[in-house]
Amino acid sequence: MTDRYAVFGNPIGHSQSPRIHALFAAQTGQDICYEAILAEPDEFATAVNAFIAEGKGLARGANVTVPFKEEAYRLATRRTSRAEAAGAVNTLSFEAGAIIGDNTDGAGLVRDLKHNLGCDPTGRRILLLGAGGAARGVILPLLLENPAELVIANRTEDTAVRLALEFGRLPGCAVKVKPEGIGFPGLAGRSFDLVINATSAGLSNAVLPTPTSMFAPDCVAYEMVYGRETPFMLQARAAGARVADGLGMLVEQAAESFFLWRGVRPLTAPVLAAMNA
Ligand code: ATR
């Protein structure tokens, strides 16, 4: 009677999630099975519903990765407030006919920053590069940490300005800082304590037209992409910043999902060490 979980994506062969969750399960003594499922582009909902039906009551949840996070948002019959703010869902829980959608990406980033990298966002000047889905998913969790400022800079300035406006007027939300949206030229003469690259530029080795002066002394530069040295990381290293890639965020968002499903919080440090090895 093993509970079943899966990660849905396309492509999915590269996914580290089955390995991470297997390590969490072994560490916490949880009896679960976690598999990777490739869903065809227009068959995400069908694939999830088939997984639930075939599980005969043992399918408990799923992770969702590129390109289905927005579709998972629509598939969910109930959503948490952080999933609402992100406009995307990376964690589904199946409970008595309901599909609950959550988003643990932002919490994963904040946990990686605070617990693994010793970089508390509170009081820091934060620059978020990019205004797509990856950026959107982390804005609310970062704002809730009360940074000194949060600037969203994007190649297409309009998208950053609109995103900042949207997060500047969240109803009923205890956020003190209003984000500011700018284009890359607006970065001239400004510097930050934490620079997070949420663009997909690193995936194609594209160099961002951002000034080196954006890295303040003792800056932490965080690349959300993992498994490769991106031009952003090279630029940050050359500027003397402390550099991290997105592997910690991947492990931490998985731990948050595992906690939601199983009620047990796994230790992430040994898993991160195993992934790095
Ligand atoms: P994701 O879900 O990974 O965030 P996305 O929604 O397609 O993907 O967003 C990609 C982000 O990376 C956008 O902010 C995009 O900038 P634009 O809004 O101007 O398109 C940014 N991006 C991608 N390639 C880039 C490049 N070569 N230089 C600068 N920004 C880039």
Side-chain angles (χ1 to χ4, degrees), residues 117-144:
L117 301 168
C119 173
D120 194 329
T122 306
R124 292 202 190 227
R125 296 167 295 168
I126 303 180
L127 170 62
L128 183 62
L129 300 172
R136 172 182 284 274
V138 301
I139 295 174
L140 182 60
L142 285 172
L143 286 173
L144 288 170

Short mmCIF file of all heavy atoms in Angstrom, two decimals, residues 117-144:
data_model
loop_
_atom_site.label_atom_id
_atom_site.label_comp_id
_atom_site.label_asym_id
_atom_site.label_seq_id
_atom_site.Cartn_x
_atom_site.Cartn_y
_atom_site.Cartn_z
N LEU A 117 22.88 29.43 2.48
CA LEU A 117 23.84 30.42 2.01
C LEU A 117 24.08 31.54 3.02
O LEU A 117 24.92 32.42 2.78
CB LEU A 117 23.37 31.01 0.67
CG LEU A 117 23.18 29.97 -0.45
CD1 LEU A 117 22.44 30.57 -1.63
CD2 LEU A 117 24.54 29.44 -0.90
N GLY A 118 23.36 31.52 4.13
CA GLY A 118 23.53 32.56 5.15
C GLY A 118 23.25 33.95 4.61
O GLY A 118 23.92 34.92 4.99
N CYS A 119 22.28 34.05 3.72
CA CYS A 119 21.96 35.34 3.10
C CYS A 119 20.49 35.65 3.35
O CYS A 119 19.62 35.28 2.56
CB CYS A 119 22.26 35.25 1.59
SG CYS A 119 21.74 36.70 0.67
N ASP A 120 20.23 36.29 4.49
CA ASP A 120 18.86 36.63 4.85
C ASP A 120 18.39 37.82 4.01
O ASP A 120 19.03 38.87 4.02
CB ASP A 120 18.83 36.99 6.35
CG ASP A 120 17.42 37.02 6.89
OD1 ASP A 120 16.50 37.35 6.11
OD2 ASP A 120 17.24 36.71 8.08
N PRO A 121 17.28 37.67 3.25
CA PRO A 121 16.83 38.77 2.39
C PRO A 121 16.35 40.01 3.16
O PRO A 121 16.29 41.10 2.60
CB PRO A 121 15.64 38.17 1.61
CG PRO A 121 15.75 36.70 1.77
CD PRO A 121 16.45 36.47 3.09
N THR A 122 16.05 39.84 4.45
CA THR A 122 15.54 40.96 5.24
C THR A 122 16.53 42.12 5.25
O THR A 122 17.70 41.94 5.56
CB THR A 122 15.26 40.50 6.70
OG1 THR A 122 14.41 39.37 6.64
CG2 THR A 122 14.61 41.62 7.50
N GLY A 123 16.03 43.30 4.89
CA GLY A 123 16.86 44.52 4.92
C GLY A 123 17.82 44.65 3.75
O GLY A 123 18.56 45.63 3.67
N ARG A 124 17.84 43.68 2.86
CA ARG A 124 18.78 43.76 1.73
C ARG A 124 18.16 44.46 0.53
O ARG A 124 16.94 44.42 0.34
CB ARG A 124 19.20 42.35 1.28
CG ARG A 124 20.04 41.67 2.32
CD ARG A 124 20.88 40.57 1.71
NE ARG A 124 21.46 39.81 2.80
CZ ARG A 124 22.74 39.46 2.88
NH1 ARG A 124 23.57 39.77 1.93
NH2 ARG A 124 23.19 38.77 3.91
N ARG A 125 19.04 45.06 -0.27
CA ARG A 125 18.59 45.63 -1.55
C ARG A 125 18.65 44.48 -2.56
O ARG A 125 19.72 43.97 -2.85
CB ARG A 125 19.53 46.76 -1.98
CG ARG A 125 19.53 47.97 -1.04
CD ARG A 125 20.69 48.88 -1.33
NE ARG A 125 21.96 48.20 -1.07
CZ ARG A 125 23.16 48.65 -1.45
NH1 ARG A 125 23.27 49.78 -2.12
NH2 ARG A 125 24.25 47.98 -1.17
N ILE A 126 17.47 44.09 -3.05
CA ILE A 126 17.40 42.91 -3.93
C ILE A 126 17.10 43.34 -5.37
O ILE A 126 16.21 44.16 -5.62
CB ILE A 126 16.31 41.92 -3.46
CG1 ILE A 126 16.56 41.50 -2.02
CG2 ILE A 126 16.27 40.70 -4.38
CD1 ILE A 126 15.52 40.52 -1.47
N LEU A 127 17.84 42.76 -6.29
CA LEU A 127 17.58 42.93 -7.72
C LEU A 127 17.16 41.58 -8.29
O LEU A 127 17.88 40.58 -8.15
CB LEU A 127 18.83 43.43 -8.43
CG LEU A 127 18.78 43.42 -9.97
CD1 LEU A 127 17.67 44.35 -10.49
CD2 LEU A 127 20.13 43.84 -10.55
N LEU A 128 16.00 41.55 -8.91
CA LEU A 128 15.51 40.34 -9.57
C LEU A 128 15.58 40.58 -11.07
O LEU A 128 14.92 41.49 -11.59
CB LEU A 128 14.07 40.08 -9.12
CG LEU A 128 13.38 38.81 -9.63
CD1 LEU A 128 14.11 37.55 -9.14
CD2 LEU A 128 11.92 38.77 -9.14
N LEU A 129 16.38 39.78 -11.76
CA LEU A 129 16.51 39.91 -13.22
C LEU A 129 15.53 38.97 -13.89
O LEU A 129 15.51 37.77 -13.60
CB LEU A 129 17.94 39.57 -13.65
CG LEU A 129 19.05 40.45 -13.07
CD1 LEU A 129 20.43 39.88 -13.43
CD2 LEU A 129 18.93 41.88 -13.56
N GLY A 130 14.68 39.52 -14.77
CA GLY A 130 13.68 38.70 -15.45
C GLY A 130 12.29 38.99 -14.94
O GLY A 130 12.12 39.43 -13.78
N ALA A 131 11.30 38.77 -15.79
CA ALA A 131 9.91 39.04 -15.40
C ALA A 131 8.98 37.98 -15.97
O ALA A 131 7.80 38.23 -16.20
CB ALA A 131 9.50 40.44 -15.88
N GLY A 132 9.51 36.77 -16.19
CA GLY A 132 8.70 35.66 -16.67
C GLY A 132 8.17 34.83 -15.50
O GLY A 132 8.12 35.31 -14.35
N GLY A 133 7.82 33.59 -15.79
CA GLY A 133 7.22 32.72 -14.78
C GLY A 133 8.14 32.47 -13.59
O GLY A 133 7.69 32.45 -12.44
N ALA A 134 9.43 32.29 -13.84
CA ALA A 134 10.37 31.99 -12.75
C ALA A 134 10.47 33.18 -11.80
O ALA A 134 10.55 33.01 -10.58
CB ALA A 134 11.75 31.65 -13.33
N ALA A 135 10.46 34.40 -12.35
CA ALA A 135 10.53 35.60 -11.51
C ALA A 135 9.24 35.75 -10.71
O ALA A 135 9.26 35.95 -9.48
CB ALA A 135 10.77 36.83 -12.38
N ARG A 136 8.12 35.64 -11.40
CA ARG A 136 6.81 35.81 -10.76
C ARG A 136 6.66 34.91 -9.54
O ARG A 136 6.11 35.30 -8.51
CB ARG A 136 5.72 35.54 -11.78
CG ARG A 136 4.32 35.49 -11.22
CD ARG A 136 3.33 35.15 -12.31
NE ARG A 136 3.08 36.29 -13.15
CZ ARG A 136 2.17 37.23 -12.89
NH1 ARG A 136 1.44 37.16 -11.79
NH2 ARG A 136 1.99 38.24 -13.70
N GLY A 137 7.17 33.67 -9.66
CA GLY A 137 7.00 32.68 -8.59
C GLY A 137 7.70 33.04 -7.30
O GLY A 137 7.36 32.50 -6.24
N VAL A 138 8.71 33.91 -7.35
CA VAL A 138 9.49 34.18 -6.13
C VAL A 138 9.25 35.58 -5.56
O VAL A 138 9.77 35.91 -4.49
CB VAL A 138 11.01 33.97 -6.37
CG1 VAL A 138 11.28 32.53 -6.82
CG2 VAL A 138 11.59 34.95 -7.38
N ILE A 139 8.47 36.41 -6.24
CA ILE A 139 8.32 37.80 -5.79
C ILE A 139 7.64 37.90 -4.42
O ILE A 139 8.18 38.54 -3.50
CB ILE A 139 7.57 38.65 -6.84
CG1 ILE A 139 8.40 38.75 -8.11
CG2 ILE A 139 7.28 40.05 -6.30
CD1 ILE A 139 7.71 39.45 -9.27
N LEU A 140 6.49 37.26 -4.26
CA LEU A 140 5.79 37.38 -2.97
C LEU A 140 6.62 36.83 -1.81
O LEU A 140 6.79 37.53 -0.80
CB LEU A 140 4.41 36.71 -3.04
CG LEU A 140 3.59 36.82 -1.75
CD1 LEU A 140 3.33 38.28 -1.37
CD2 LEU A 140 2.27 36.07 -1.87
N PRO A 141 7.18 35.61 -1.91
CA PRO A 141 8.00 35.12 -0.79
C PRO A 141 9.18 36.05 -0.48
O PRO A 141 9.52 36.23 0.69
CB PRO A 141 8.50 33.76 -1.28
CG PRO A 141 7.46 33.32 -2.26
CD PRO A 141 7.00 34.57 -2.94
N LEU A 142 9.77 36.70 -1.48
CA LEU A 142 10.87 37.64 -1.21
C LEU A 142 10.33 38.88 -0.50
O LEU A 142 10.92 39.36 0.47
CB LEU A 142 11.57 38.04 -2.51
CG LEU A 142 12.50 36.99 -3.13
CD1 LEU A 142 12.98 37.45 -4.51
CD2 LEU A 142 13.71 36.71 -2.22
N LEU A 143 9.20 39.42 -0.98
CA LEU A 143 8.63 40.62 -0.36
C LEU A 143 8.26 40.36 1.10
O LEU A 143 8.42 41.24 1.96
CB LEU A 143 7.39 41.07 -1.14
CG LEU A 143 7.64 41.75 -2.48
CD1 LEU A 143 6.32 41.99 -3.22
CD2 LEU A 143 8.39 43.07 -2.31
N LEU A 144 7.78 39.15 1.38
CA LEU A 144 7.36 38.83 2.75
C LEU A 144 8.54 38.78 3.72
O LEU A 144 8.36 38.79 4.93
CB LEU A 144 6.59 37.50 2.78
CG LEU A 144 5.19 37.57 2.16
CD1 LEU A 144 4.59 36.17 2.01
CD2 LEU A 144 4.26 38.46 2.98
#
